[in-house]
Amino acid sequence: MIESQAQASRLLRAGSLIAFPTETVYGLGVDAENESAVARMFEVKGRPAKHPVIVHISDQNLVSYWAEEIPEYAIALMRKFWPGPITLILKRSGNAKDFITGGQEFVGLRIPSNPIALKLLSEFESLGGHGVAAPSANRFGSVSPTSAKDVVEEIGELLGDDDLIIDGGASEVGVESTIIDCSRELPRILRLGAVTEAMIETITPIDTDSNLEEIRVSGSLTRHYSPRAKVIIDREAKPGEGLIALSDIPTPDGAVRLTAPDSVNDYARSLYSALRKGDSAGLGVIVVNPPRGEGLADAIRDRILRASAH
Ligand code: TXA
Ligand code: MG
């Protein structure tokens, strides 16, 4: 654990892995221009090397370092939603190498809003860095971490002496960023998140009917974000089974209540930690009653569906 973002940014520049809080989930950051650091990050995650990774920046001026031919609607989206939980996929510049784009012609960029993340990134940029490549700080296929303790549990033992985990408390949003493909005439949503379709539509029309599988997004692998327990959607929890549901749904006798959020926002914030709690309690089955409605509720249902795909 760690004292200052300045120290962490120096370590990043020197090739260390720095796990840091963002408003969505914790990221496992490395210098996006340091190929061997990126390789070590992939190794710690256990993620196949051909997967692209999001580059985090603190300043919109760096977009043109990483991307080119940026459509007007993408600029409008950045102005409206950055810093915040939205990632834009843009045509890469020569600076975005294959080792962060997975060999694709597109790069994913995001300015997070978490103050610790922003400070870390701006310090890193003041040392001559241009961006921090960071996937969620979990082992490949498992649930994203929403606290420093989760990160320790996932990858703590795999980190080296010069790597760090920055503790920024619990993640504010709790599910990963909305991802928008900005490579075509109209934007397409590749991953749902806290910036909702309705919010995006206030800025630009969206292409809603093309095929999401065209651009390879590892978050769209069917089984992803999975706990060890079997996740079952919308049936009554039996004795000894875990239950994740809004607070107005009572806990059946003998079932283990893992969270009882009062709102959809709260649901998003507590979903992943509740799944982890079920795993650390050694539960075989976790029953989940997803929230209804649109927007963030859609993003939550998307993650629950993936967690249930065994
Ligand atoms: O909220 C978030 O987005 C968090 C925090 C740490 O920023 N990051 C995150 O990263 O969720 P990751 O790697 O776990 O998920 C990012 C997804 C992956 O499915 C990846 O394939 C996709 O974004 N992605 C990244 N760059 C891409 C690109 N150039 N083209 C297509 N998909 C891309
Ligand atoms: Mg991830």
Side-chain angles (χ1 to χ4, degrees), residues 22 24-27 45 47 51-54 56 87 89 100-101 104 106-108 110 134-136 175-177 179 190-191 215-220:
T22 83
T24 57
V25 300
Y26 275 67
K45 254 194 91 73
R47 181 191 249 191
H51 281 177
V53 57
I54 298 169
H56 297 70
T87 297
I89 308 291
I100 56 157
T101 71
Q104 302 182 65
F106 304 97
V107 62
R110 172 161 117 81
S136 51
V175 295
E176 304 81 355
S177 63
I179 299 182
L190 299 181
R191 182 171 74 184
I215 290 199
R216 183 165 39 81
V217 179
S218 77
S220 73

PDB file of all heavy atoms in Angstrom, residues 22 24-27 45 47 51-54 56 87 89 100-101 104 106-108 110 134-136 175-177 179 190-191 215-220, ligand 1:
ATOM      1  N   THR A  22     -10.813   3.458  -9.659  1.00  0.00           N
ATOM      2  CA  THR A  22     -11.515   4.384 -10.553  1.00  0.00           C
ATOM      3  C   THR A  22     -12.958   4.407 -10.045  1.00  0.00           C
ATOM      4  O   THR A  22     -13.312   3.631  -9.157  1.00  0.00           O
ATOM      5  CB  THR A  22     -11.486   3.975 -12.046  1.00  0.00           C
ATOM      6  OG1 THR A  22     -12.512   3.013 -12.294  1.00  0.00           O
ATOM      7  CG2 THR A  22     -10.129   3.442 -12.486  1.00  0.00           C
ATOM      8  N   THR A  24     -15.474   3.331 -11.527  1.00  0.00           N
ATOM      9  CA  THR A  24     -16.202   2.123 -11.932  1.00  0.00           C
ATOM     10  C   THR A  24     -15.747   0.923 -11.109  1.00  0.00           C
ATOM     11  O   THR A  24     -16.494   0.412 -10.271  1.00  0.00           O
ATOM     12  CB  THR A  24     -15.996   1.838 -13.429  1.00  0.00           C
ATOM     13  OG1 THR A  24     -14.587   1.721 -13.693  1.00  0.00           O
ATOM     14  CG2 THR A  24     -16.613   2.938 -14.288  1.00  0.00           C
ATOM     15  N   VAL A  25     -14.519   0.467 -11.363  1.00  0.00           N
ATOM     16  CA  VAL A  25     -13.916  -0.664 -10.648  1.00  0.00           C
ATOM     17  C   VAL A  25     -12.422  -0.356 -10.538  1.00  0.00           C
ATOM     18  O   VAL A  25     -11.944   0.618 -11.119  1.00  0.00           O
ATOM     19  CB  VAL A  25     -14.128  -2.001 -11.416  1.00  0.00           C
ATOM     20  CG1 VAL A  25     -15.619  -2.312 -11.585  1.00  0.00           C
ATOM     21  CG2 VAL A  25     -13.436  -1.992 -12.792  1.00  0.00           C
ATOM     22  N   TYR A  26     -11.674  -1.167  -9.793  1.00  0.00           N
ATOM     23  CA  TYR A  26     -10.227  -0.965  -9.698  1.00  0.00           C
ATOM     24  C   TYR A  26      -9.546  -1.441 -10.989  1.00  0.00           C
ATOM     25  O   TYR A  26      -9.931  -2.474 -11.558  1.00  0.00           O
ATOM     26  CB  TYR A  26      -9.650  -1.714  -8.503  1.00  0.00           C
ATOM     27  CG  TYR A  26      -9.751  -0.933  -7.207  1.00  0.00           C
ATOM     28  CD1 TYR A  26     -10.996  -0.677  -6.635  1.00  0.00           C
ATOM     29  CD2 TYR A  26      -8.614  -0.431  -6.580  1.00  0.00           C
ATOM     30  CE1 TYR A  26     -11.087   0.056  -5.453  1.00  0.00           C
ATOM     31  CE2 TYR A  26      -8.700   0.292  -5.395  1.00  0.00           C
ATOM     32  CZ  TYR A  26      -9.943   0.545  -4.837  1.00  0.00           C
ATOM     33  OH  TYR A  26     -10.028   1.271  -3.690  1.00  0.00           O
ATOM     34  N   GLY A  27      -8.553  -0.671 -11.433  1.00  0.00           N
ATOM     35  CA  GLY A  27      -7.790  -1.032 -12.620  1.00  0.00           C
ATOM     36  C   GLY A  27      -6.390  -1.500 -12.245  1.00  0.00           C
ATOM     37  O   GLY A  27      -5.869  -1.146 -11.180  1.00  0.00           O
ATOM     38  N   LYS A  45      -2.799 -10.883 -14.844  1.00  0.00           N
ATOM     39  CA  LYS A  45      -4.243 -11.065 -15.040  1.00  0.00           C
ATOM     40  C   LYS A  45      -4.598 -12.461 -15.522  1.00  0.00           C
ATOM     41  O   LYS A  45      -5.706 -12.929 -15.350  1.00  0.00           O
ATOM     42  CB  LYS A  45      -4.742 -10.060 -16.093  1.00  0.00           C
ATOM     43  CG  LYS A  45      -5.542  -8.919 -15.519  1.00  0.00           C
ATOM     44  CD  LYS A  45      -6.286  -8.169 -16.596  1.00  0.00           C
ATOM     45  CE  LYS A  45      -7.674  -8.676 -16.873  1.00  0.00           C
ATOM     46  NZ  LYS A  45      -8.693  -8.402 -15.884  1.00  0.00           N
ATOM     47  N   ARG A  47      -4.669 -13.062 -18.670  1.00  0.00           N
ATOM     48  CA  ARG A  47      -5.529 -12.766 -19.817  1.00  0.00           C
ATOM     49  C   ARG A  47      -4.794 -13.088 -21.115  1.00  0.00           C
ATOM     50  O   ARG A  47      -3.599 -12.823 -21.233  1.00  0.00           O
ATOM     51  CB  ARG A  47      -5.872 -11.280 -19.782  1.00  0.00           C
ATOM     52  CG  ARG A  47      -6.779 -10.836 -20.893  1.00  0.00           C
ATOM     53  CD  ARG A  47      -6.839  -9.324 -20.949  1.00  0.00           C
ATOM     54  NE  ARG A  47      -8.135  -8.828 -20.540  1.00  0.00           N
ATOM     55  CZ  ARG A  47      -8.506  -7.567 -20.694  1.00  0.00           C
ATOM     56  NH1 ARG A  47      -7.694  -6.686 -21.202  1.00  0.00           N
ATOM     57  NH2 ARG A  47      -9.700  -7.183 -20.328  1.00  0.00           N
ATOM     58  N   HIS A  51      -5.946  -9.597 -26.342  1.00  0.00           N
ATOM     59  CA  HIS A  51      -7.063  -8.738 -25.951  1.00  0.00           C
ATOM     60  C   HIS A  51      -6.630  -7.280 -25.812  1.00  0.00           C
ATOM     61  O   HIS A  51      -5.619  -6.995 -25.196  1.00  0.00           O
ATOM     62  CB  HIS A  51      -7.663  -9.218 -24.634  1.00  0.00           C
ATOM     63  CG  HIS A  51      -8.562 -10.397 -24.816  1.00  0.00           C
ATOM     64  ND1 HIS A  51      -9.173 -11.031 -23.771  1.00  0.00           N
ATOM     65  CD2 HIS A  51      -8.966 -11.045 -25.921  1.00  0.00           C
ATOM     66  CE1 HIS A  51      -9.902 -12.029 -24.226  1.00  0.00           C
ATOM     67  NE2 HIS A  51      -9.792 -12.058 -25.528  1.00  0.00           N
ATOM     68  N   PRO A  52      -7.437  -6.363 -26.352  1.00  0.00           N
ATOM     69  CA  PRO A  52      -7.092  -4.953 -26.222  1.00  0.00           C
ATOM     70  C   PRO A  52      -7.345  -4.447 -24.803  1.00  0.00           C
ATOM     71  O   PRO A  52      -8.142  -5.031 -24.062  1.00  0.00           O
ATOM     72  CB  PRO A  52      -8.057  -4.276 -27.198  1.00  0.00           C
ATOM     73  CG  PRO A  52      -9.225  -5.187 -27.283  1.00  0.00           C
ATOM     74  CD  PRO A  52      -8.683  -6.580 -27.099  1.00  0.00           C
ATOM     75  N   VAL A  53      -6.662  -3.369 -24.427  1.00  0.00           N
ATOM     76  CA  VAL A  53      -6.804  -2.836 -23.080  1.00  0.00           C
ATOM     77  C   VAL A  53      -7.029  -1.320 -23.156  1.00  0.00           C
ATOM     78  O   VAL A  53      -6.526  -0.650 -24.064  1.00  0.00           O
ATOM     79  CB  VAL A  53      -5.566  -3.254 -22.234  1.00  0.00           C
ATOM     80  CG1 VAL A  53      -4.281  -2.797 -22.863  1.00  0.00           C
ATOM     81  CG2 VAL A  53      -5.669  -2.764 -20.810  1.00  0.00           C
ATOM     82  N   ILE A  54      -7.838  -0.790 -22.239  1.00  0.00           N
ATOM     83  CA  ILE A  54      -8.198   0.631 -22.274  1.00  0.00           C
ATOM     84  C   ILE A  54      -7.014   1.488 -21.819  1.00  0.00           C
ATOM     85  O   ILE A  54      -6.364   1.182 -20.819  1.00  0.00           O
ATOM     86  CB  ILE A  54      -9.404   0.906 -21.345  1.00  0.00           C
ATOM     87  CG1 ILE A  54     -10.638   0.124 -21.835  1.00  0.00           C
ATOM     88  CG2 ILE A  54      -9.713   2.400 -21.260  1.00  0.00           C
ATOM     89  CD1 ILE A  54     -11.794   0.117 -20.836  1.00  0.00           C
ATOM     90  N   HIS A  56      -5.936   4.914 -20.142  1.00  0.00           N
ATOM     91  CA  HIS A  56      -6.510   5.952 -19.285  1.00  0.00           C
ATOM     92  C   HIS A  56      -5.636   7.206 -19.341  1.00  0.00           C
ATOM     93  O   HIS A  56      -4.413   7.106 -19.211  1.00  0.00           O
ATOM     94  CB  HIS A  56      -6.603   5.447 -17.838  1.00  0.00           C
ATOM     95  CG  HIS A  56      -7.519   4.268 -17.674  1.00  0.00           C
ATOM     96  ND1 HIS A  56      -7.214   3.019 -18.170  1.00  0.00           N
ATOM     97  CD2 HIS A  56      -8.728   4.149 -17.086  1.00  0.00           C
ATOM     98  CE1 HIS A  56      -8.217   2.185 -17.891  1.00  0.00           C
ATOM     99  NE2 HIS A  56      -9.148   2.846 -17.234  1.00  0.00           N
ATOM    100  N   THR A  87     -15.907   4.754 -22.072  1.00  0.00           N
ATOM    101  CA  THR A  87     -14.707   4.485 -22.858  1.00  0.00           C
ATOM    102  C   THR A  87     -15.059   4.616 -24.334  1.00  0.00           C
ATOM    103  O   THR A  87     -16.080   4.081 -24.780  1.00  0.00           O
ATOM    104  CB  THR A  87     -14.203   3.051 -22.580  1.00  0.00           C
ATOM    105  OG1 THR A  87     -13.838   2.959 -21.199  1.00  0.00           O
ATOM    106  CG2 THR A  87     -13.008   2.689 -23.458  1.00  0.00           C
ATOM    107  N   ILE A  89     -13.929   3.950 -28.273  1.00  0.00           N
ATOM    108  CA  ILE A  89     -13.048   3.175 -29.161  1.00  0.00           C
ATOM    109  C   ILE A  89     -12.863   3.991 -30.439  1.00  0.00           C
ATOM    110  O   ILE A  89     -13.831   4.257 -31.164  1.00  0.00           O
ATOM    111  CB  ILE A  89     -13.675   1.809 -29.501  1.00  0.00           C
ATOM    112  CG1 ILE A  89     -14.096   1.031 -28.242  1.00  0.00           C
ATOM    113  CG2 ILE A  89     -12.729   0.987 -30.379  1.00  0.00           C
ATOM    114  CD1 ILE A  89     -12.999   0.533 -27.371  1.00  0.00           C
ATOM    115  N   ILE A 100      -1.220  -2.915 -27.052  1.00  0.00           N
ATOM    116  CA  ILE A 100      -2.379  -2.439 -26.281  1.00  0.00           C
ATOM    117  C   ILE A 100      -3.691  -2.483 -27.068  1.00  0.00           C
ATOM    118  O   ILE A 100      -4.768  -2.380 -26.490  1.00  0.00           O
ATOM    119  CB  ILE A 100      -2.196  -1.024 -25.691  1.00  0.00           C
ATOM    120  CG1 ILE A 100      -1.865  -0.034 -26.787  1.00  0.00           C
ATOM    121  CG2 ILE A 100      -1.181  -0.996 -24.563  1.00  0.00           C
ATOM    122  CD1 ILE A 100      -2.227   1.364 -26.381  1.00  0.00           C
ATOM    123  N   THR A 101      -3.614  -2.638 -28.373  1.00  0.00           N
ATOM    124  CA  THR A 101      -4.860  -2.703 -29.162  1.00  0.00           C
ATOM    125  C   THR A 101      -5.222  -4.143 -29.514  1.00  0.00           C
ATOM    126  O   THR A 101      -6.229  -4.389 -30.177  1.00  0.00           O
ATOM    127  CB  THR A 101      -4.771  -1.907 -30.475  1.00  0.00           C
ATOM    128  OG1 THR A 101      -3.895  -2.595 -31.376  1.00  0.00           O
ATOM    129  CG2 THR A 101      -4.279  -0.487 -30.245  1.00  0.00           C
ATOM    130  N   GLN A 104      -5.562  -4.711 -33.205  1.00  0.00           N
ATOM    131  CA  GLN A 104      -6.653  -4.094 -33.968  1.00  0.00           C
ATOM    132  C   GLN A 104      -6.297  -2.649 -34.319  1.00  0.00           C
ATOM    133  O   GLN A 104      -5.418  -2.049 -33.717  1.00  0.00           O
ATOM    134  CB  GLN A 104      -7.940  -4.111 -33.132  1.00  0.00           C
ATOM    135  CG  GLN A 104      -8.343  -5.512 -32.719  1.00  0.00           C
ATOM    136  CD  GLN A 104      -9.640  -5.502 -31.935  1.00  0.00           C
ATOM    137  OE1 GLN A 104     -10.688  -5.151 -32.451  1.00  0.00           O
ATOM    138  NE2 GLN A 104      -9.566  -5.890 -30.675  1.00  0.00           N
ATOM    139  N   PHE A 106      -7.933  -0.107 -33.651  1.00  0.00           N
ATOM    140  CA  PHE A 106      -8.671   0.808 -32.776  1.00  0.00           C
ATOM    141  C   PHE A 106      -8.096   0.803 -31.372  1.00  0.00           C
ATOM    142  O   PHE A 106      -7.578  -0.207 -30.911  1.00  0.00           O
ATOM    143  CB  PHE A 106     -10.150   0.413 -32.740  1.00  0.00           C
ATOM    144  CG  PHE A 106     -10.740   0.372 -34.118  1.00  0.00           C
ATOM    145  CD1 PHE A 106     -10.848  -0.829 -34.808  1.00  0.00           C
ATOM    146  CD2 PHE A 106     -11.110   1.549 -34.752  1.00  0.00           C
ATOM    147  CE1 PHE A 106     -11.340  -0.855 -36.106  1.00  0.00           C
ATOM    148  CE2 PHE A 106     -11.599   1.536 -36.052  1.00  0.00           C
ATOM    149  CZ  PHE A 106     -11.713   0.325 -36.733  1.00  0.00           C
ATOM    150  N   VAL A 107      -8.200   1.960 -30.735  1.00  0.00           N
ATOM    151  CA  VAL A 107      -7.708   2.078 -29.361  1.00  0.00           C
ATOM    152  C   VAL A 107      -8.853   2.553 -28.469  1.00  0.00           C
ATOM    153  O   VAL A 107      -9.668   3.381 -28.884  1.00  0.00           O
ATOM    154  CB  VAL A 107      -6.492   3.037 -29.301  1.00  0.00           C
ATOM    155  CG1 VAL A 107      -6.852   4.462 -29.739  1.00  0.00           C
ATOM    156  CG2 VAL A 107      -5.874   3.068 -27.907  1.00  0.00           C
ATOM    157  N   GLY A 108      -8.908   2.019 -27.258  1.00  0.00           N
ATOM    158  CA  GLY A 108      -9.930   2.427 -26.287  1.00  0.00           C
ATOM    159  C   GLY A 108      -9.358   3.474 -25.345  1.00  0.00           C
ATOM    160  O   GLY A 108      -8.277   3.289 -24.797  1.00  0.00           O
ATOM    161  N   ARG A 110     -10.131   6.459 -22.093  1.00  0.00           N
ATOM    162  CA  ARG A 110     -11.067   6.907 -21.045  1.00  0.00           C
ATOM    163  C   ARG A 110     -10.382   7.878 -20.101  1.00  0.00           C
ATOM    164  O   ARG A 110      -9.227   7.681 -19.728  1.00  0.00           O
ATOM    165  CB  ARG A 110     -11.556   5.679 -20.273  1.00  0.00           C
ATOM    166  CG  ARG A 110     -12.391   5.981 -19.042  1.00  0.00           C
ATOM    167  CD  ARG A 110     -13.190   4.738 -18.642  1.00  0.00           C
ATOM    168  NE  ARG A 110     -12.856   4.199 -17.342  1.00  0.00           N
ATOM    169  CZ  ARG A 110     -13.318   4.661 -16.177  1.00  0.00           C
ATOM    170  NH1 ARG A 110     -14.116   5.714 -16.153  1.00  0.00           N
ATOM    171  NH2 ARG A 110     -12.973   4.082 -15.038  1.00  0.00           N
ATOM    172  N   ALA A 134      -4.967  -0.004 -18.521  1.00  0.00           N
ATOM    173  CA  ALA A 134      -5.479  -0.676 -17.318  1.00  0.00           C
ATOM    174  C   ALA A 134      -6.753  -1.451 -17.593  1.00  0.00           C
ATOM    175  O   ALA A 134      -7.788  -0.881 -17.906  1.00  0.00           O
ATOM    176  CB  ALA A 134      -5.735   0.337 -16.201  1.00  0.00           C
ATOM    177  N   PRO A 135      -6.663  -2.772 -17.468  1.00  0.00           N
ATOM    178  CA  PRO A 135      -7.880  -3.588 -17.426  1.00  0.00           C
ATOM    179  C   PRO A 135      -8.375  -3.607 -15.981  1.00  0.00           C
ATOM    180  O   PRO A 135      -7.681  -3.120 -15.076  1.00  0.00           O
ATOM    181  CB  PRO A 135      -7.374  -4.971 -17.813  1.00  0.00           C
ATOM    182  CG  PRO A 135      -5.976  -5.019 -17.285  1.00  0.00           C
ATOM    183  CD  PRO A 135      -5.455  -3.602 -17.348  1.00  0.00           C
ATOM    184  N   SER A 136      -9.540  -4.144 -15.736  1.00  0.00           N
ATOM    185  CA  SER A 136      -9.990  -4.356 -14.364  1.00  0.00           C
ATOM    186  C   SER A 136      -8.975  -5.264 -13.662  1.00  0.00           C
ATOM    187  O   SER A 136      -8.403  -6.161 -14.281  1.00  0.00           O
ATOM    188  CB  SER A 136     -11.386  -4.978 -14.362  1.00  0.00           C
ATOM    189  OG  SER A 136     -11.431  -6.117 -15.195  1.00  0.00           O
ATOM    190  N   VAL A 175     -19.878  -0.991 -11.523  1.00  0.00           N
ATOM    191  CA  VAL A 175     -19.781  -1.801 -12.746  1.00  0.00           C
ATOM    192  C   VAL A 175     -18.888  -1.056 -13.738  1.00  0.00           C
ATOM    193  O   VAL A 175     -18.738   0.164 -13.667  1.00  0.00           O
ATOM    194  CB  VAL A 175     -21.151  -2.130 -13.399  1.00  0.00           C
ATOM    195  CG1 VAL A 175     -21.997  -3.006 -12.489  1.00  0.00           C
ATOM    196  CG2 VAL A 175     -21.905  -0.880 -13.800  1.00  0.00           C
ATOM    197  N   GLU A 176     -18.309  -1.806 -14.669  1.00  0.00           N
ATOM    198  CA  GLU A 176     -17.326  -1.260 -15.594  1.00  0.00           C
ATOM    199  C   GLU A 176     -17.945  -0.203 -16.516  1.00  0.00           C
ATOM    200  O   GLU A 176     -19.156  -0.154 -16.708  1.00  0.00           O
ATOM    201  CB  GLU A 176     -16.720  -2.389 -16.448  1.00  0.00           C
ATOM    202  CG  GLU A 176     -16.081  -3.528 -15.651  1.00  0.00           C
ATOM    203  CD  GLU A 176     -17.101  -4.551 -15.134  1.00  0.00           C
ATOM    204  OE1 GLU A 176     -18.321  -4.351 -15.297  1.00  0.00           O
ATOM    205  OE2 GLU A 176     -16.652  -5.554 -14.558  1.00  0.00           O
ATOM    206  N   SER A 177     -17.048   0.591 -17.132  1.00  0.00           N
ATOM    207  CA  SER A 177     -17.499   1.712 -17.967  1.00  0.00           C
ATOM    208  C   SER A 177     -18.327   1.263 -19.168  1.00  0.00           C
ATOM    209  O   SER A 177     -18.171   0.147 -19.678  1.00  0.00           O
ATOM    210  CB  SER A 177     -16.275   2.492 -18.469  1.00  0.00           C
ATOM    211  OG  SER A 177     -15.451   1.685 -19.286  1.00  0.00           O
ATOM    212  N   ILE A 179     -18.868   1.167 -22.962  1.00  0.00           N
ATOM    213  CA  ILE A 179     -17.911   1.245 -24.073  1.00  0.00           C
ATOM    214  C   ILE A 179     -18.653   1.586 -25.360  1.00  0.00           C
ATOM    215  O   ILE A 179     -19.647   0.933 -25.709  1.00  0.00           O
ATOM    216  CB  ILE A 179     -17.139  -0.085 -24.248  1.00  0.00           C
ATOM    217  CG1 ILE A 179     -16.347  -0.406 -22.972  1.00  0.00           C
ATOM    218  CG2 ILE A 179     -16.190   0.006 -25.445  1.00  0.00           C
ATOM    219  CD1 ILE A 179     -15.503  -1.672 -23.065  1.00  0.00           C
ATOM    220  N   LEU A 190     -20.978  -0.969 -27.083  1.00  0.00           N
ATOM    221  CA  LEU A 190     -20.417  -2.321 -27.025  1.00  0.00           C
ATOM    222  C   LEU A 190     -20.563  -2.937 -25.635  1.00  0.00           C
ATOM    223  O   LEU A 190     -20.550  -4.154 -25.483  1.00  0.00           O
ATOM    224  CB  LEU A 190     -18.931  -2.300 -27.389  1.00  0.00           C
ATOM    225  CG  LEU A 190     -18.568  -1.812 -28.786  1.00  0.00           C
ATOM    226  CD1 LEU A 190     -17.060  -1.895 -28.979  1.00  0.00           C
ATOM    227  CD2 LEU A 190     -19.275  -2.632 -29.852  1.00  0.00           C
ATOM    228  N   ARG A 191     -20.579  -2.082 -24.617  1.00  0.00           N
ATOM    229  CA  ARG A 191     -20.777  -2.596 -23.249  1.00  0.00           C
ATOM    230  C   ARG A 191     -21.620  -1.566 -22.500  1.00  0.00           C
ATOM    231  O   ARG A 191     -21.328  -0.380 -22.561  1.00  0.00           O
ATOM    232  CB  ARG A 191     -19.428  -2.791 -22.547  1.00  0.00           C
ATOM    233  CG  ARG A 191     -19.540  -3.378 -21.143  1.00  0.00           C
ATOM    234  CD  ARG A 191     -18.185  -3.764 -20.547  1.00  0.00           C
ATOM    235  NE  ARG A 191     -17.412  -2.593 -20.147  1.00  0.00           N
ATOM    236  CZ  ARG A 191     -16.167  -2.641 -19.676  1.00  0.00           C
ATOM    237  NH1 ARG A 191     -15.538  -3.794 -19.556  1.00  0.00           N
ATOM    238  NH2 ARG A 191     -15.541  -1.536 -19.339  1.00  0.00           N
ATOM    239  N   ILE A 215     -16.566  -6.287 -33.309  1.00  0.00           N
ATOM    240  CA  ILE A 215     -15.338  -5.880 -32.642  1.00  0.00           C
ATOM    241  C   ILE A 215     -15.173  -6.786 -31.437  1.00  0.00           C
ATOM    242  O   ILE A 215     -16.079  -6.934 -30.640  1.00  0.00           O
ATOM    243  CB  ILE A 215     -15.398  -4.411 -32.183  1.00  0.00           C
ATOM    244  CG1 ILE A 215     -15.347  -3.506 -33.415  1.00  0.00           C
ATOM    245  CG2 ILE A 215     -14.260  -4.111 -31.231  1.00  0.00           C
ATOM    246  CD1 ILE A 215     -14.947  -2.081 -33.121  1.00  0.00           C
ATOM    247  N   ARG A 216     -14.004  -7.378 -31.312  1.00  0.00           N
ATOM    248  CA  ARG A 216     -13.819  -8.346 -30.244  1.00  0.00           C
ATOM    249  C   ARG A 216     -13.611  -7.632 -28.912  1.00  0.00           C
ATOM    250  O   ARG A 216     -12.672  -6.893 -28.713  1.00  0.00           O
ATOM    251  CB  ARG A 216     -12.617  -9.254 -30.557  1.00  0.00           C
ATOM    252  CG  ARG A 216     -12.386 -10.326 -29.536  1.00  0.00           C
ATOM    253  CD  ARG A 216     -11.448 -11.386 -30.095  1.00  0.00           C
ATOM    254  NE  ARG A 216     -10.381 -10.800 -30.901  1.00  0.00           N
ATOM    255  CZ  ARG A 216      -9.289 -10.267 -30.385  1.00  0.00           C
ATOM    256  NH1 ARG A 216      -9.104 -10.248 -29.105  1.00  0.00           N
ATOM    257  NH2 ARG A 216      -8.370  -9.767 -31.175  1.00  0.00           N
ATOM    258  N   VAL A 217     -14.527  -7.843 -28.009  1.00  0.00           N
ATOM    259  CA  VAL A 217     -14.466  -7.239 -26.687  1.00  0.00           C
ATOM    260  C   VAL A 217     -14.490  -8.390 -25.696  1.00  0.00           C
ATOM    261  O   VAL A 217     -15.437  -9.155 -25.661  1.00  0.00           O
ATOM    262  CB  VAL A 217     -15.707  -6.348 -26.443  1.00  0.00           C
ATOM    263  CG1 VAL A 217     -15.659  -5.745 -25.052  1.00  0.00           C
ATOM    264  CG2 VAL A 217     -15.813  -5.266 -27.492  1.00  0.00           C
ATOM    265  N   SER A 218     -13.425  -8.501 -24.878  1.00  0.00           N
ATOM    266  CA  SER A 218     -13.402  -9.691 -24.019  1.00  0.00           C
ATOM    267  C   SER A 218     -14.543  -9.653 -23.016  1.00  0.00           C
ATOM    268  O   SER A 218     -15.030 -10.670 -22.567  1.00  0.00           O
ATOM    269  CB  SER A 218     -12.056  -9.849 -23.326  1.00  0.00           C
ATOM    270  OG  SER A 218     -11.950  -8.958 -22.247  1.00  0.00           O
ATOM    271  N   GLY A 219     -15.018  -8.440 -22.677  1.00  0.00           N
ATOM    272  CA  GLY A 219     -16.183  -8.339 -21.792  1.00  0.00           C
ATOM    273  C   GLY A 219     -17.425  -8.941 -22.408  1.00  0.00           C
ATOM    274  O   GLY A 219     -18.423  -9.143 -21.723  1.00  0.00           O
ATOM    275  N   SER A 220     -17.388  -9.216 -23.693  1.00  0.00           N
ATOM    276  CA  SER A 220     -18.570  -9.802 -24.310  1.00  0.00           C
ATOM    277  C   SER A 220     -18.458 -11.310 -24.459  1.00  0.00           C
ATOM    278  O   SER A 220     -19.332 -11.943 -25.016  1.00  0.00           O
ATOM    279  CB  SER A 220     -18.850  -9.144 -25.667  1.00  0.00           C
ATOM    280  OG  SER A 220     -17.906  -9.576 -26.608  1.00  0.00           O
TER     281      SER A 220
HETATM  282  O1  TXA B   1     -14.519   0.708 -16.140  1.00  0.00           O
HETATM  283  C1  TXA B   1     -13.644   0.213 -16.853  1.00  0.00           C
HETATM  284  O2  TXA B   1     -13.695   0.239 -18.094  1.00  0.00           O
HETATM  285  C2  TXA B   1     -12.468  -0.446 -16.129  1.00  0.00           C
HETATM  286  C3  TXA B   1     -11.654   0.621 -15.416  1.00  0.00           C
HETATM  287  C4  TXA B   1     -10.412   0.066 -14.779  1.00  0.00           C
HETATM  288  O3  TXA B   1     -11.366   1.647 -16.321  1.00  0.00           O
HETATM  289  N1  TXA B   1     -11.671  -1.169 -17.066  1.00  0.00           N
HETATM  290  C5  TXA B   1     -12.085  -2.322 -17.638  1.00  0.00           C
HETATM  291  O4  TXA B   1     -11.122  -2.889 -18.461  1.00  0.00           O
HETATM  292  O5  TXA B   1     -13.183  -2.792 -17.447  1.00  0.00           O
HETATM  293  P1  TXA B   1     -11.243  -4.386 -19.013  1.00  0.00           P
HETATM  294  O6  TXA B   1     -10.006  -4.597 -19.799  1.00  0.00           O
HETATM  295  O7  TXA B   1     -11.499  -5.309 -17.905  1.00  0.00           O
HETATM  296  O8  TXA B   1     -12.452  -4.299 -19.980  1.00  0.00           O
HETATM  297  C6  TXA B   1     -12.358  -3.421 -21.086  1.00  0.00           C
HETATM  298  C7  TXA B   1     -13.015  -3.984 -22.282  1.00  0.00           C
HETATM  299  C8  TXA B   1     -12.432  -5.298 -22.698  1.00  0.00           C
HETATM  300  O9  TXA B   1     -13.515  -6.165 -22.928  1.00  0.00           O
HETATM  301  C9  TXA B   1     -11.659  -4.975 -23.959  1.00  0.00           C
HETATM  302  O10 TXA B   1     -11.679  -6.047 -24.849  1.00  0.00           O
HETATM  303  C10 TXA B   1     -12.407  -3.761 -24.491  1.00  0.00           C
HETATM  304  O11 TXA B   1     -12.790  -3.059 -23.353  1.00  0.00           O
HETATM  305  N2  TXA B   1     -11.518  -2.919 -25.287  1.00  0.00           N
HETATM  306  C11 TXA B   1     -10.465  -2.210 -24.879  1.00  0.00           C
HETATM  307  N3  TXA B   1      -9.843  -1.635 -25.915  1.00  0.00           N
HETATM  308  C12 TXA B   1     -10.544  -1.994 -27.013  1.00  0.00           C
HETATM  309  C13 TXA B   1     -10.377  -1.758 -28.402  1.00  0.00           C
HETATM  310  N4  TXA B   1      -9.369  -1.041 -28.868  1.00  0.00           N
HETATM  311  N5  TXA B   1     -11.273  -2.296 -29.243  1.00  0.00           N
HETATM  312  C14 TXA B   1     -12.284  -3.046 -28.782  1.00  0.00           C
HETATM  313  N6  TXA B   1     -12.482  -3.318 -27.480  1.00  0.00           N
HETATM  314  C15 TXA B   1     -11.618  -2.810 -26.607  1.00  0.00           C
END
